[in-house]
């Protein structure tokens, strides 16, 4: 599977940051073995679309219903019209800040698919769960519960993001990342059968130019979801280069 490197800008970025996307687009065009995405804040999706070249622009969330009385929310169709071809759902910051449940995340992914859009569905354990030794079962169960009954594996990507690794500079042992990706792969196979091989599993949490190559070289790590290091081309481009270097 081609490596997929996605930047999650979170609540960062004004129009003055669009030149970073232009610079990332130039690098993406030169590294043809890697797929690259950026999820800017929704306010920048349309403008990002004008400068993104081969970089796929996505959103950071999406409401589960198509329209209606949901002040402040954005539907899949709205995000698509603005220029997003996919959205992140179930990021741990939204699960914590907005109280999102597995069931709600499943509904969002289904809404995206219904609009012909991709979903990057995030799962990951807390430090307590990691320390208790129950990370594999806990995250596999979280994934199972976050998969809607109607879901197209061709439009699905999973991001394994240990909560304690996000923005902290800490990452799991490489063996632990590999074991988790295998466990999630098994969960996807149980649900989708052979079609599970179409579902990429990204790693996210403190990916940077220094650790990207070792993480991306792991066999079932199909890419990375990158927060802080994606805000500037100077730290995001080396991650794209690392992905290219480990691609056959
Ligand atoms: P980070 O964030 O790379 O800044 O740790 C990753 C994420 O939250 O997607």
């Amino acid at each position: 599977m081609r490596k997929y490197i996605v930047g999650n800008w979170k609540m960062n970025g004004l129009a003055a940051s669009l030149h970073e996307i232009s610079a990332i687009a130039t690098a993406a065009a030169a590294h043809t073995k890697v797929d690259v995405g950026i999820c800017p804040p929704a306010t920048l999706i349309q403008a990002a679309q004008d400068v993104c070249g081969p970089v796929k622009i996505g959103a950071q969330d999406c409401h589960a219903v198509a329209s209606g009385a949901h002040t402040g929310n954005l539907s899949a169709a709205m995000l698509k019209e603005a220029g997003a071809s996919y959205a992140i759902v179930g990021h741990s910051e939204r699960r914590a800040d907005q109280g999102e449940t597995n069931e709600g995340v499943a509904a969002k992914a289904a809404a995206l698919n219904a609009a012909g859009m991709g979903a990057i569905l995030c799962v990951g354990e807390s430090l307590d769960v990691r320390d208790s030794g129950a990370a594999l079962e806990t995250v596999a169960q979280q994934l199972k519960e976050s998969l809607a009954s109607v879901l197209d594996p061709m439009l699905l990507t999973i991001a394994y993001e240990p909560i304690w690794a996000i923005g902290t500079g800490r990452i799991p042992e490489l063996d632990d990342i590999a074991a988790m990706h295998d466990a999630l792969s098994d969960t996807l196979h149980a649900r989708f059968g052979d079609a599970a091989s179409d579902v990429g599993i990204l790693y996210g949490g403190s990916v940077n130019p220094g650790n990207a190559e070792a993480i991306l070289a792991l066999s079932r790590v199909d890419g990375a979801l990158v927060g802080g290091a994606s805000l500037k081309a100077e730290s995001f481009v080396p991650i794209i280069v690392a992905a290219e270097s480990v691609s056959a």
Side-chain angles (χ1 to χ4, degrees):
M1 183 177 288
R2 288 166 62 83
K3 300 285 186 197
Y4 186 21
I5 307 298
V6 183
N8 170 14
W9 277 18
K10 310 190 178 183
M11 198 172 72
N12 298 291
L14 298 170
S17 307
L18 288 169
H19 69 97
E20 299 290 349
I21 296 182
S22 307
I24 292 164
T26 302
H31 294 87
T32 53
K33 292 179 191 157
V34 181
D35 293 321
V36 180
I38 294 278
C39 300
T43 47
L44 286 183
I45 288 173
Q46 200 151 19
Q49 191 55 45
D50 292 338
V51 297
C52 68
V55 175
K56 297 179 199 168
I57 301 300
Q60 299 174 13
D61 180 48
C62 147
H63 199 275
V65 306
S67 64
H70 301 286
T71 303
N73 283 299
L74 298 170
S75 71
M78 292 169 182
L79 297 165
K80 187 176 183 178
E81 187 176 68
S85 53
Y86 62 98
I88 298 168
V89 292
H91 191 282
S92 61
E93 287 155 12
R94 292 197 61 87
R95 289 179 185 263
D97 296 353
Q98 272 76 33
E100 295 194 0
T101 61
N102 292 334
E103 195 182 20
V105 170
K108 290 179 174 202
L112 285 161
N113 278 195
M117 298 171 71
I120 298 182
L121 196 166
C122 301
V123 292
E125 82 283 2
S126 65
L127 192 55
D128 281 353
V129 168
R130 170 58 62 182
D131 289 343
S132 76
L136 291 178
E137 310 84 85
T138 303
V139 180
Q141 183 65 22
Q142 189 187 23
L143 175 58
K144 217 167 140 185
E145 291 175 10
S146 300
L147 295 174
S149 53
V150 179
L151 205 55
D152 180 352
M154 295 294 290
L155 290 173
L156 181 65
T157 302
I158 305 303
Y160 165 54
E161 298 204 303
I163 297 166
W164 53 275
I166 294 174
T168 59
R170 294 178 61 195
I171 63 166
E173 299 294 331
L174 294 175
D175 285 351
D176 289 335
I177 296 176
M180 183 64 77
H181 281 238
D182 283 346
L184 297 179
S185 185
D186 289 348
T187 304
L188 292 169
H189 271 96
R191 167 61 199 275
F192 296 115
D194 288 346
S197 45
D198 295 326
V199 183
I201 307 177
L202 315 182
Y203 168 79
S206 294
V207 176
N208 62 42
N211 60 25
E213 187 172 338
I215 296 170
L216 292 166
L218 297 169
S219 67
R220 196 56 171 97
V221 174
D222 301 309
L225 183 56
V226 183
S230 72
L231 294 171
K232 299 264 180 241
E234 68 176 18
S235 46
F236 194 53
V237 171
I239 298 171
I240 297 169
V241 174
E244 177 101 349
S245 76
V246 299
S247 298

